[in-house]
Amino acid sequence: MRVQVAIVGAGPSGLLLGQLLQRAGIDALIIERRSAEYVLGRIRAGVLEQGTVDLLGRAGVGERVAREGLVHDGFDVLFGGQRHRVNLSALTGRHVVVYGQTEVTRDLMDARLSAGASTIYDAADVSVHDFDADHPRVRFRVDGAAHEVACDFIAGCDGFHGVCRQSVPADALRQFERVYPFGWLGVLSDTPPVSHELIYVNSPRGFALCSMRSPTRSRYYVQCSLSENVDEWPDSRFWTELKARLDPATAGGLVTGPSIEKSIAPLRSFVAEPMRFGRLFLAGDAAHIVPPTGAKGLNLAASDVHYLSSALVEFYQSGSRAGLDAYSARALARVWQAERFSWWMTHLLHELPEGGAFSARVQRAELEYLVASQAARTALAENYVGLPY
Ligand code: APR
Ligand code: PHB
């Protein structure tokens, strides 16, 4: 079997790349280790930059997000018992759109299905070969039978634990990592959100976040220690802890209900450089991870795919390799901006177990500076809404 581009992984990166290539008449096959249902079952973040929404439009999947996505012109930062609004629209002229990653994934899967483009799910033992030479190949098994796909390029869209980055010789790769000494315990519930906008909370009991998926579905998080076990968090304990991190008025307005999903996620910053090795290109979580505090993970995956799809289209239309050669540097410039911002937001808002009293005071000063200074709020807002491409 032969295709132009073999895409490993059917998360948002792989599906969006597949969709953009398909629309440009480039033949791409997606090979995914899990089932479609499993991929759709993962609950991930939900804040889209305008640039990401625009890209979904260019990929032909902009209709539902335009209809159902919630436009947010700002969010609140709560500390010292008081909520302070960051007015994104007034500060930057831009907004964000709340629309779950699950929905983005579903729209892309539906589009792929109706275009008749092929995705191989439940592929076992996926491996990538010869990407340092002219004829790369991807091997995998389905129902025990071995398959091999020859291609011009491999797109490694297989997430942080994927096989593509790990197949690059160790000496060709530089990795940068910070693992934070805490995680997020998240709950999804069919209850109306406590506020019509997101609330990022800094409290002495730790960080919390009030988010949403729709006017009837809420997503809440509390910072927790890494040793925490989700089984020890019945719903009642979660709601009590969340309320204890909110100001009394907000806590009083919180509608609680049974959780429909509950999980703990560690926080990590990670970048692998470069993002290209010969004919293998990494995109999304395969190349980098940000802590979720800045809401950048999915948006970074989209920006990688924007650069990579344009480069591949340019190559197939004109034979030029300029975009392919520039891909890694272009993508990484944006990645590091998002890494810096996500790292900063994480330090701004979390209880820092290893920071000590000095860090706690500096953190408070930083929060007060945000309230006092429009320039400081503008910097926050600019990064949150995302820099234009
Ligand atoms: N072979 C094939 N597929 C694989 C392999 C493999 N060896 N390893 C992993 N995969 C699949 C995973 O099952 C998953 O469906 O690759 C996909 C990677 O998807 P994501 O982890 O969602 O990564 P990405 O598409 O880059 O999306 C980034 O996800 O984690 C969030 O915050 C992040 O929102 C961002 C988005
Ligand atoms: C979410 O809704 O899941 C969410 C929102 C904003 C973040 C992180 C997660 O910064």
Side-chain angles (χ1 to χ4, degrees), residues 180-202:
Y180 299 86
F182 42 77
W184 281 15
L185 169 62
V187 156
L188 191 67
S189 72
D190 277 328
T191 50
V194 68
S195 168
H196 69 291
E197 292 180 344
L198 272 59
I199 311 174
Y200 287 88
V201 184
N202 170 274

Side-chain angles (χ1 to χ4, degrees), residues 44-47 184 198 200 209 211-213 219 221 292-295:
R44 297 260 178 87
V47 176
W184 281 15
L198 272 59
Y200 287 88
L209 172 59
S211 182
M212 68 193 71
R213 290 292 174 274
R219 180 70 165 160
Y221 298 95
T293 328

